[in-house]
Amino acid sequence: MSLYRDEGVVLRTQKLGEADRIVTILAKRTGKIRAVARGVRRTTSRFGARMEPFTHVDVQFHTGRTLDVVTQAETIRPYGEALAADYPRYTAGSAMLETADRLTHGEKEPALRQFLLLVGGLRTLAERQHEARLVLDAYFLRSLAVAGYAPALEECAKCQTPAVRAFAIVAGGVVCGGCRPAGAAVPAGETIGLMTALLRGDWATADASESRHRSECSGLVAAYLQWHLEHGIRSLRHVEREPV
C-alpha cells in the first residue's frame, strides 16, 4: 500500500455514492489533491467533520488508480467555525477557496506559496484584524502576483512611464494617457494607492482608507482577477462590498 501524508486546506467537496465524498485539498507539499473520503456522510464517520471546506487538516492518503483515498485526518484548525457566523467573512473566505482552486490548475503540482497565502488569508479573516473585503482583495492581488499576473500599479504597464492616467485590465494595470485603451477605468489616485498597500501588506494604509476607495478598489480587483482566470468567481456575487 502506497501511503503519503501532507497538511492542507479543504477547498470543496462533492457527493459520491450514498456515503462518500470527493474532497479537493490544496496541500502544502503536494499541491492540489482530489481524493475519496469514504463514509464521511454517515453520522458515525470518524472524520466527516474534518473533511469540510475551510478546514486546515493533516491528512494521510492511499494512492489509488484514479483518485487517492483519505485514510486518516486530524484537524489543525477549523477556520469554518470562526467564519460561519459572520456572513461577510464567510463569503470572503468562500471566494478565497474558489480562487485557490482556480489558480492551481494541475493536480499534485507543488504550490507552496499559494497554500501559504490561503492559510494566511483564512487566519486573518478568522482573527477579525481587518475588514473582510480588504482581506479578500489583498488575497486576490497577492495570489495573482504569485501566479505571475501582478498588476502594474506604479508605472504604465505598456511603456513604463510614471505618468499614470487610467487602469486597463487588458493592458495589465495602470497606463499613461498615450497608452490608454478605450474603455479603461479612471480610478482615484487613492484607489491605486490602496491596491498598492494591499499588495505590499501595508495594513496601516489599507485600514485608514475611505469606503469609496475600498469599493472602487474591490471592483477593479475582482474584474482583473476574473479576466485573468477567464472564468467568473461564483462566490463573489455573495460578497458584501463597502458602501460608496
Side-chain angles (χ1 to χ4, degrees):
M1 180 180 290
S2 178
L3 297 174
Y4 66 97
R5 197 174 196 96
D6 207 342
E7 66 174 274
V9 175
V10 180
L11 302 180
R12 59 188 171 94
T13 66
Q14 61 189 97
K15 294 179 181 180
L16 178 67
E18 294 184 358
D20 305 338
R21 278 199 179 105
I22 296 174
V23 295
T24 301
I25 298 172
L26 180 57
K28 184 175 184 178
R29 293 180 295 275
T30 313
K32 187 158 69 176
I33 303 168
R34 293 179 72 245
V36 177
R38 301 199 185 282
V40 294
R41 291 162 56 200
R42 297 193 182 104
T43 56
T44 56
S45 171
R46 291 179 295 117
F47 50 80
R50 303 168 197 169
M51 291 286 100
E52 292 294 331
F54 296 109
T55 309
H56 185 184
V57 285
D58 183 297
V59 193
Q60 180 175 279
F61 302 91
H62 167 226
T63 303
R65 292 184 179 180
T66 55
L67 292 173
D68 295 349
V69 178
V70 175
T71 57
Q72 293 180 16
E74 297 295 334
T75 301
I76 296 174
R77 186 165 181 182
Y79 290 109
E81 291 182 5
L83 302 178
D86 188 316
Y87 183 80
R89 293 183 184 277
Y90 178 82
T91 53
S94 296
M96 286 184 184
L97 297 186
E98 188 176 350
T99 300
D101 195 7
R102 297 284 183 190
L103 283 174
T104 49
H105 303 290
E107 292 185 27
K108 295 188 176 180
E109 294 181 4
L112 175 60
R113 292 178 69 190
Q114 292 290 0
F115 167 80
L116 294 175
L117 275 173
L118 180 60
V119 171
L122 293 176
R123 181 174 60 248
T124 303
L125 274 180
E127 292 175 351
R128 304 171 186 269
Q129 297 176 359
H130 310 285
E131 192 269 331
R133 189 63 204 246
L134 286 177
V135 177
L136 178 60
D137 288 339
Y139 171 77
F140 283 163
L141 287 165
R142 294 181 203 177
S143 60
L144 281 166
V146 167
Y149 303 126
L153 296 174
E154 297 180 351
E155 298 178 339
C156 176
K158 288 191 172 183
C159 69
Q160 285 72 57
T161 64
V164 173
R165 293 290 299 278
F167 187 93
I169 293 171
V170 295
V174 295
V175 289
C176 65
C179 297
R180 176 185 171 185
V186 185
E190 293 87 347
T191 298
I192 299 300
L194 174 57
M195 293 173 71
T196 302
L198 292 173
L199 186 57
R200 292 177 175 175
D202 179 2
W203 284 108
T205 298
D207 290 337
S209 61
E210 296 182 17
S211 294
R212 58 196 175 101
H213 300 137
R214 294 184 186 188
S215 181
E216 190 172 42
C217 171
S218 292
L220 291 175
V221 171
Y224 187 84
L225 169 74
Q226 293 176 105
W227 190 84
H228 279 285
L229 290 179
E230 298 181 354
H231 195 286
I233 299 296
R234 291 176 296 176
S235 305
L236 269 178
R237 71 187 70 168
H238 304 296
V239 172
E240 293 184 348
R241 295 190 179 184
E242 282 281 316
V244 178

Coordinates of all heavy atoms in Angstrom, one line a residue, residues 3 25 54 86 94 96 139 216 240:
L3 N 1.4 4.9 0.8 CA 0.8 5.9 1.7 C 1.7 7.2 1.6 O 2.9 7.1 1.5 CB 0.7 5.4 3.1 CG -0.2 4.2 3.4 CD1 -0.1 3.8 4.8 CD2 -1.7 4.6 3.0
I25 N -8.3 19.2 -2.0 CA -7.5 19.8 -0.9 C -6.2 20.5 -1.6 O -5.6 19.9 -2.5 CB -7.0 18.7 0.0 CG1 -8.2 18.1 0.8 CG2 -6.0 19.2 1.1 CD1 -7.8 16.8 1.6
F54 N -12.8 24.9 4.3 CA -12.2 25.8 5.3 C -11.4 25.1 6.3 O -10.6 25.7 7.1 CB -13.2 26.7 6.1 CG -14.0 27.6 5.2 CD1 -15.4 27.4 4.9 CD2 -13.4 28.7 4.7 CE1 -16.1 28.2 4.2 CE2 -14.1 29.6 3.9 CZ -15.5 29.4 3.6
D86 N -20.4 34.8 10.6 CA -20.1 36.1 10.1 C -20.2 36.1 8.6 O -19.3 35.7 7.9 CB -18.7 36.6 10.6 CG -18.4 38.0 10.3 OD1 -18.8 38.5 9.2 OD2 -17.9 38.7 11.1
S94 N -15.1 32.0 1.2 CA -15.6 31.1 0.1 C -14.9 31.5 -1.2 O -14.5 30.7 -2.0 CB -17.1 31.2 0.0 OG -17.7 30.6 1.1
M96 N -12.1 33.0 -1.5 CA -10.7 32.6 -1.4 C -10.5 31.2 -1.8 O -9.6 30.8 -2.6 CB -10.2 32.8 0.0 CG -9.9 34.3 0.4 SD -9.2 34.3 2.1 CE -9.1 36.0 2.4
Y139 N -5.8 39.2 -0.7 CA -5.5 37.8 -1.1 C -5.6 37.7 -2.6 O -4.7 37.1 -3.2 CB -6.5 36.9 -0.5 CG -6.5 35.5 -1.0 CD1 -5.4 34.6 -0.6 CD2 -7.4 35.1 -2.0 CE1 -5.3 33.4 -1.2 CE2 -7.3 33.8 -2.6 CZ -6.2 33.0 -2.2 OH -6.1 31.7 -2.8
E216 N -14.2 51.1 -5.0 CA -13.7 51.2 -6.3 C -12.5 50.1 -6.5 O -12.4 49.5 -7.5 CB -13.1 52.6 -6.5 CG -12.7 52.9 -8.0 CD -12.4 54.3 -8.2 OE1 -11.7 54.9 -7.3 OE2 -12.8 54.9 -9.2
E240 N -20.2 40.9 0.2 CA -20.7 42.2 0.5 C -19.6 43.2 0.3 O -18.4 43.1 0.7 CB -21.2 42.3 2.0 CG -22.4 41.5 2.2 CD -22.9 41.7 3.6 OE1 -22.2 42.3 4.5 OE2 -24.0 41.3 3.9

